[in-house]
Amino acid sequence: MKAIRRFTVRTVVPEQISALPRLAMNLRWSWHLPTRKLFESLDPQLWEAAQSDPLAMLASISREQLAELAADPAVVARVEEADRSLTRYLQEPRWYQGLGDGAPQTIAYFSPEFGITEVLPQYSGGLGILAGDHLKSASDLGVPLIGVGLLYQAGYFKQSLSRDAWQQETYPLLDPDALPLTLLREEDGSRIQISLPLPEGRQLRAQIWRADVGRVPLLLLDSNVAENDDAARGVTDRLYGGGGDHRLAQELLLGMGGVRALRIHARLTGTPAPEVFHTNEGHAGFLGIERIRELMDPAITAHPLSFSEALAAGRASTVFTTHTPVPAGIDRFPRSMIRHFFAGGLAPGVPVEEILALGAENYEGGDPAVFNMAVMGLRLAQRANGVAKLHGVVSREMFSGLWHGFDHDDVPITSVTNGVHVPTWVDPQLAELATEHFGADVLDGPDWAKIYDIGDAELWALRQRLRAALVTDARHRLRASWKERGAADAQLGWTDSALDPDVLTIGFARRVPTYKRLTLMLRDPARLKALLLHPEHPIQLVIAGKSHPADDAGKKMIQDLVQFTDDPKVRHRIVFLPNYDIAMARTLFPGCDVWLNNPLRPLEACGTSGMKAAINGSLNLSVMDGWWDELYDGENGWAIPTANQGTSDEERDDIESAALYELLETQVAPRFYGGSVADAAGAAGPSQVSGDGPPSHWISMIKHTISQLGPAVSADRMVQEYVRRLYRPAAEAGRAVRAEDYAGTRELAAWIRRVRAAWGGVRVEHVESHGLADEPQIGEALQVRALVQLAGLRPEDVTVNVVYGRAEESDELSDTRILDLDSVSELGSGRYQFAADMVIDRSGSFGYGVRVLPRHPALATPAELGLIATS
């Protein structure tokens, strides 16, 4: 018989150890090793059975055992110390508190997924893990962030394989009452709900759960409430599930509902209203529409703003981060669908045509029938960024249509390279080794260069232990996977010896879209087999990853790979582990000697999995894409060469797979086994790894990797960059436009209207220069004068500058610099002369051009409005 109702009963804990539920409910335990060790020490077997989930463990522990623990003075003392540690962590000033009053009081961070811990499975891949790491580092630094997302009833899917190696998906339902979540309630105990109107008079209601991520609250909206109809209850059924209108409803709830949840949370807690809104990818873009609605609503605002004024006010304090390197990765909806939803009163008072214009692809190559979420995100944010330097370049090119006439370098999308939360991803054994040598605060702003103080033999012994732990875990997972595929125990004895703890171990784990090229390693199966079975320096591969349920091409890649790994000749050297998640990653990253990444360049936005491997002493073997493009230095791993642009797909994969094999054969494997790269044939075999001493060059690369990449790939560095470069300027801009009852906003919006109306008549009529000799030399001055028609605008409304640099054969300028033409003379009839002296600062082919841009102190960049006039 099935239960007609299911609920979770919370354990009553004795007073002496009453802090245990508090420690279990704050997700700081997921990265705070002492707290995890405390729970494990209470009952190691129960801790393992509960899959390292403190709340599940407390729900399983008996009253008698709790009484015994409460009677043990040593246990009570450890619990009390852990409770004091959490209190200090939550209350003491940290890095952010030293920034002064100008720093934002509260920052709202919206994301469709958050990867905090496997206990709260609300993530699918890198975007969610990045969001989780962002929250954790914000907590460690004391940044007053509030996360906003959705609570998916089934999270992301669990992955298994069929007998023929086809990916299978299951969606086990979650019980929120069994998760480290608290339901937001009014003072009288009643559940709080937000509500959004839907077409046909329907309502989408959602309750709000709160997870505590250290100091950072995370608000998760849940539509599975009795007051909803079946379709509305299913809006938050699963991450990235459903079709068009279902996905749109999710994103409306995340963006618009998320803003409403923030207002309720501020009312309940007294938390200051957010001064900055950060949109992590376009999925949450509708938050900007809700903020515009608030500013236009006379029931909320004493002096309501017009649409253009509300847009200007909202943009000033909004940051948009794009993670997408390809147009196909962006959510796009039919314009008719957007119109249908908003015609029902989702944003009363906000003109639907203005909403549609925000997501319009009204640029060359755009589709006039679709509404683009990333385009809307960019138009609703005054500041935008990609997630690596190369990704910033890709993003500026990809979205250049929004800034027609601008060089790609001038498109106002900057970059903040992603990072990883070090305490979460550094293996406990490495953390303990560092603590033993350098002190207990090693994970709180560590001095990464101290890795050089650890002896080679000690560091190598640690790497061997980490590799052995991975082999043990992989064998267990491999056996379980084969059993799910229908194999009997009697057929699986070989799994006990699959993989070898003394063999060079290469990891590859990530989502499986086609551009990440999971099967590039299979391009020449015979050559891969030779590498796996090499008699002197073999390699072994541990591979994991999920394909989106609707991506049959990705699933076919997994099937092809798994069918190769099924071969009895190589299955002890190459394994695929299903259901890649945070729990698997914590063993996989530290246990691999090399982390492989071979996407199509430049389609990897960042690739943080390689960062997680690096902070554990793994070396990267990667295409020069994502973060590796900016941080590879020749001694922290290897760069896989890429084919020339324009090469066919087939030829490109042949070239790049051959380069991969060549590196493994002649560089990576010989160096790991202690031999000379120049004499690969004489390299020592696996016995060297187990007993003949550490390979000195390999160890030096490990130490260099940890010392150099550790601070560079830290999420603390990333969050500090966001605060300094984006959050603080956004907060200051937001304060400026709100000043004196939005007087600054009204003035800015009026100025923008005036400039846009006049800009069609703005032009550079003539440019002349004087002062150069017949044979110019470096250091000579050239006077540049530009005659500009401003069409009724004033000189203070514009910036006129000369852009100069190396002139290519096509007359395109490169390696440019900018000089403002700041001497102004009025000539009448709207015409002005702008002039300045330009010093020739280089030899060779030299050229220049003149451009006119809008200028206003409230603009973040001169390119912000997408208006330009050139000579």
Side-chain angles (χ1 to χ4, degrees), residues 6 367 519 792:
R6 186 181 68 173
D367 184 345
T519 52

PDB file of all heavy atoms in Angstrom, residues 6 367 519 792:
ATOM      1  N   ARG A   6       2.716  11.992   2.956  1.00  0.00           N
ATOM      2  CA  ARG A   6       4.054  11.798   3.485  1.00  0.00           C
ATOM      3  C   ARG A   6       4.530  13.099   4.107  1.00  0.00           C
ATOM      4  O   ARG A   6       4.329  14.185   3.555  1.00  0.00           O
ATOM      5  CB  ARG A   6       5.019  11.394   2.361  1.00  0.00           C
ATOM      6  CG  ARG A   6       6.409  11.040   2.862  1.00  0.00           C
ATOM      7  CD  ARG A   6       7.325  10.679   1.712  1.00  0.00           C
ATOM      8  NE  ARG A   6       7.618  11.828   0.858  1.00  0.00           N
ATOM      9  CZ  ARG A   6       8.496  11.814  -0.147  1.00  0.00           C
ATOM     10  NH1 ARG A   6       9.119  10.707  -0.446  1.00  0.00           N
ATOM     11  NH2 ARG A   6       8.710  12.904  -0.865  1.00  0.00           N
ATOM     12  N   ASP A 367      15.977  37.729 -35.506  1.00  0.00           N
ATOM     13  CA  ASP A 367      14.677  37.190 -35.918  1.00  0.00           C
ATOM     14  C   ASP A 367      13.590  38.081 -35.327  1.00  0.00           C
ATOM     15  O   ASP A 367      13.413  38.120 -34.102  1.00  0.00           O
ATOM     16  CB  ASP A 367      14.534  35.754 -35.413  1.00  0.00           C
ATOM     17  CG  ASP A 367      13.244  35.090 -35.873  1.00  0.00           C
ATOM     18  OD1 ASP A 367      12.333  35.794 -36.338  1.00  0.00           O
ATOM     19  OD2 ASP A 367      13.144  33.848 -35.744  1.00  0.00           O
ATOM     20  N   THR A 519      33.729  12.856 -27.066  1.00  0.00           N
ATOM     21  CA  THR A 519      34.292  11.719 -27.799  1.00  0.00           C
ATOM     22  C   THR A 519      35.484  12.088 -28.677  1.00  0.00           C
ATOM     23  O   THR A 519      35.893  11.292 -29.517  1.00  0.00           O
ATOM     24  CB  THR A 519      33.195  11.065 -28.668  1.00  0.00           C
ATOM     25  OG1 THR A 519      32.556  12.074 -29.466  1.00  0.00           O
ATOM     26  CG2 THR A 519      32.154  10.390 -27.797  1.00  0.00           C
ATOM     27  N   GLY A 792      21.262  70.422 -32.826  1.00  0.00           N
ATOM     28  CA  GLY A 792      20.517  70.942 -31.691  1.00  0.00           C
ATOM     29  C   GLY A 792      21.034  70.493 -30.342  1.00  0.00           C
ATOM     30  O   GLY A 792      20.619  71.027 -29.305  1.00  0.00           O
TER      31      GLY A 792
END
